[in-house]
Amino acid sequence: YRVHLDIMHFPYYTYYGKIKAKTIYSALDLYYMYDKNCLPNNRSIFYWLHIFMKNLKNADLIVSISESTKNDIIKFIPNINKSKINVLYPIVDERYRPLLNLSRRKETINKFNLNRPYLLSIGDSTVKRKNIRQLIIGYKKAVDLGYIFDLVLVGIFNDRELRILINEYKMTDKVHIFGYTHENDMVLLHQCAKYCIVPSLYEGFSYPVVQSIKCCVPVIISNNSCFNEEIGRASCRERV
């Protein structure tokens, strides 16, 4: 049956064809325009290069997740109407705040068996740009120099090569892999961390960065894409 639409919002990378309505398109990131090899097949490449970019160009309004993504849209669609691109930052859960209850901190440490201070990293080792392999290599060098913090990995870390690397480095007692956790536990892991590290090579917006800042936990980030925008003047820059 036919439905008359006045406005249609597309919150993700969706093909919508011809629609007789005003269209709003949410743009999260344009990473595949930088690295098309990450796309699984030629069909996906065609979609990104032609259909998705055409959707962006033809949209009546674009909601960009960050200034960084907005700049990417302008970069890859040079003749786009810039005035229709609006930046709207995501909202971070109010549970992310400094932990003042010391008993909760102890409870978290016992629950996850974390007996040493730790670095927290949230990501997906199956996605190359998340840079998790380099994080493990860098962490090994830090351990060799006498670094005493453990490393806690939350997310998708189930690829075989990563676990082999951790075993080869003899760091199974220092690297804790928890996979996905409940949001309440995620909050506590943020609050109790000494640092949060986000080594990603590209993001449209990084939730772990903002979540950690709200918990008053220092963040170690890459110097690219949206990260400087999120950190702003609170950053201390150091080339390594």
Side-chain angles (χ1 to χ4, degrees):
Y1 60 92
R2 294 178 179 272
V3 177
H4 175 74
L5 301 175
D6 295 314
I7 299 173
M8 188 71 177
H9 174 225
F10 298 89
Y12 199 63
Y13 309 124
T14 309
Y15 171 65
Y16 57 79
K18 294 182 179 180
I19 293 180
K20 294 181 179 180
K22 296 290 185 181
T23 55
I24 302 173
Y25 213 100
S26 290
L28 306 182
D29 66 66
L30 270 65
Y31 177 70
Y32 293 129
M33 297 302 295
Y34 287 100
D35 188 2
K36 300 176 185 66
N37 293 327
C38 288
L39 292 166
N41 50 50
N42 290 335
R43 184 178 180 180
S44 297
I45 293 174
F46 175 82
Y47 172 81
W48 264 90
L49 291 180
H50 300 284
I51 298 176
F52 171 64
M53 300 305 283
K54 184 179 179 180
N55 285 351
L56 281 180
K57 183 177 179 179
N58 294 337
D60 293 288
L61 178 68
I62 298 172
V63 179
S64 172
I65 201 169
S66 64
E67 288 288 345
S68 176
T69 294
K70 177 181 178 179
N71 292 336
D72 282 343
I73 295 171
I74 294 169
K75 175 181 178 179
F76 289 108
I77 313 177
N79 57 345
I80 196 168
N81 180 2
K82 300 176 185 178
S83 64
K84 72 177 184 180
I85 309 174
N86 293 266
V87 175
L88 182 63
Y89 294 113
I91 295 174
V92 175
D93 196 307
E94 287 299 321
R95 286 175 290 181
Y96 288 92
R97 57 182 183 270
L99 180 61
L100 303 178
N101 189 332
L102 295 180
S103 64
R104 290 296 302 277
R105 184 182 297 273
K106 186 175 180 180
E107 178 184 313
T108 303
I109 291 170
N110 292 336
K111 179 176 181 178
F112 291 99
N113 196 26
L114 298 170
N115 299 315
R116 290 183 292 262
Y118 63 88
L119 280 170
L120 174 65
S121 187
I122 296 122
D124 182 348
S125 62
T126 64
V127 179
K128 187 176 179 181
R129 67 183 165 103
K130 299 297 183 180
N131 212 19
I132 301 301
R133 182 179 177 84
Q134 286 303 122
L135 170 61
I136 298 298
I137 293 172
Y139 176 70
K140 173 62 166 63
K141 293 179 179 179
V143 169
D144 290 344
L145 292 172
Y147 192 79
I148 61 171
F149 290 177
D150 283 0
L151 177 62
V152 171
L153 302 177
V154 178
I156 300 177
F157 296 95
N158 53 7
D159 60 295
R160 185 168 177 268
E161 289 185 3
L162 183 71
R163 292 182 181 272
I164 289 174
L165 182 64
I166 294 171
N167 287 330
E168 286 179 353
Y169 285 161
K170 296 180 172 59
M171 296 194 307
T172 54
D173 63 324
K174 293 181 175 295
V175 180
H176 308 269
I177 300 177
F178 294 139
Y180 277 116
T181 65
H182 190 277
E183 191 70 21
N184 289 333
D185 290 333
M186 184 77 80
V187 171
L188 289 169
L189 286 170
H190 270 87
Q191 292 172 325
C192 296
K194 285 295 182 181
Y195 299 92
C196 177
I197 182 165
V198 185
S200 178
L201 300 176
Y202 177 95
E203 296 291 339
F205 182 88
S206 176
Y207 280 92
V209 169
V210 179
Q211 289 164 344
S212 296
I213 291 173
K214 288 193 68 176
C215 293
C216 293
V217 172
V219 186
I220 302 170
I221 58 171
S222 302
N223 184 23
N224 59 55
S225 56
C226 67
F227 294 115
N228 288 327
E229 177 184 347
E230 291 188 57
I231 293 293
R233 296 182 180 180
S235 63
C236 176
R237 301 169 189 267
E238 187 71 30
R239 186 179 297 275
V240 294

